[in-house]
Amino acid sequence: MQNVSYRPVAADCFSDDERAAVYKAIYTRRDVRDQFLPKPVLDDILMRLLDAAHHAPSVGFMQPWNFIVIRDEARKAEIYRAFTRANEEAKSLFSDERQALYASLKLEGILKAPVNLCITCDRTRGGKVVLGRTHNHQMDLYSTVCAVQNLWLAARAEGIGVGWVSIYRDQDMRHILGIPGHVEIIAYLCVGYVDELYDAPELQKRGWAKRLPLENLIFQDQWQDTTSISSDLPHQDPADASLATPSTSD
Ligand SMILES: Cc1cc2nc3c(=O)[nH]c(=O)nc-3n(C[C@H](O)[C@H](O)[C@H](O)COP(=O)(O)O)c2cc1C
């Protein structure tokens, strides 16, 4: 076996304040839609966020991500149109009262945020056999999601808000950004400074859903009954069923 030099880092190296700062970022991180300020995000700060993303774990150290930085207003406008089309479709799947509530929600900050980021996963990076991915092929996707979360938390520490937009048709986004078929779109993020954040998820504040009790989500040693979880979830409209099987033909 090849000799590797290994310089251990003490595991208890976080002071109380540093540990508190990590939890502060986790607990106060928010999905941002409408609070973006026009203040530009300078390149070196954006690079810090992207570098935080780039230090995420990845299966077989595959690092399958790319980051498309979108600042061009015309490009953002195209994306916004794709969002609007998909949002109309999504709205129609909810019935009556829920549809009215859905329509009242702001679900993106594409035009308001000075920077948009599309984070992708190149499924071919590293070749056909990647350590750790041979039996669970989707692990590269999960790795890229880890990168998104790293960026989101680092942004929180910088006073920068992030909003994740997933309401668009994949082929629209692909077309607008020229993304090839072997690359998966993982996240479309709106990024910009904010001067205030909600103190709880906006969807909870607006009565769409609430945080589930943690104790109902923890099982011991094997899968357990989920009835208590279902009863805490928001009412599911019958029309919601069509959301579970999106059409891929159009
Ligand atoms: C994969 C993913 C996709 C999301 N897509 C959207 C979206 O399209 N529009 C939106 O307003 N929020 C979106 N969100 C944000 C969630 O609504 C938000 O994380 C959740 O309501 C909890 O709020 P918080 O992030 O502020 O804690 C998305 C979040 C994730 C993780």
Side-chain angles (χ1 to χ4, degrees), residues 40-77:
V41 179
L42 299 179
D43 279 346
D44 59 339
I45 310 256
L46 183 62
M47 281 307 293
R48 283 214 289 268
L49 301 187
L50 296 179
D51 201 38
H54 187 44
H55 280 72
S58 62
V59 66
F61 203 23
M62 185 183 170
Q63 306 160 73
W65 38 72
N66 281 94
F67 308 100
I68 306 176
V69 180
I70 302 142
R71 286 195 167 101
D72 180 59
E73 294 303 329
R75 192 57 53 94
K76 284 204 249 166

Side-chain angles (χ1 to χ4, degrees), residues 10 15 21 34 43 47 83 107 112 118 187 191 197 214 220 243:
S15 68
D34 205 26
D43 279 346
M47 281 307 293
F83 161 82
L107 297 172
K112 205 166 181 187
C118 183
V191 178
L197 292 165
L214 175 60
Q220 301 299 334
L243 281 172

Side-chain angles (χ1 to χ4, degrees), residues 38-135:
K39 179 179 168 182
V41 179
L42 299 179
D43 279 346
D44 59 339
I45 310 256
L46 183 62
M47 281 307 293
R48 283 214 289 268
L49 301 187
L50 296 179
D51 201 38
H54 187 44
H55 280 72
S58 62
V59 66
F61 203 23
M62 185 183 170
Q63 306 160 73
W65 38 72
N66 281 94
F67 308 100
I68 306 176
V69 180
I70 302 142
R71 286 195 167 101
D72 180 59
E73 294 303 329
R75 192 57 53 94
K76 284 204 249 166
E78 275 187 271
I79 306 262
Y80 181 72
R81 283 194 291 275
F83 161 82
T84 307
R85 283 193 298 274
N87 200 38
E88 282 304 309
E89 292 165 3
K91 189 172 75 181
S92 69
L93 296 173
F94 299 100
S95 55
D96 302 336
E97 203 185 314
R98 205 93 175 122
Q99 187 172 119
L101 181 55
Y102 182 91
S104 73
L105 300 171
K106 178 156 171 65
L107 297 172
E108 54 70 45
I110 298 165
L111 300 176
K112 205 166 181 187
V115 180
N116 289 191
L117 285 177
C118 183
I119 302 186
T120 57
C121 174
D122 183 343
R123 311 220 61 194
T124 63
R125 194 162 297 163
K128 283 204 166 67
V129 182
V130 171
L131 184 158
R133 189 181 165 231
T134 41
H135 296 89

Side-chain angles (χ1 to χ4, degrees), residues 29-31 33 106-108 152 164-167 200-203 211:
R29 180 210 52 78
R30 282 278 77 81
D31 187 83
R33 291 108 185 173
K106 178 156 171 65
L107 297 172
E108 54 70 45
W152 211 336
W164 190 324
V165 184
S166 53
I167 304 164
E202 194 177 339
L203 291 189
R211 193 177 302 286

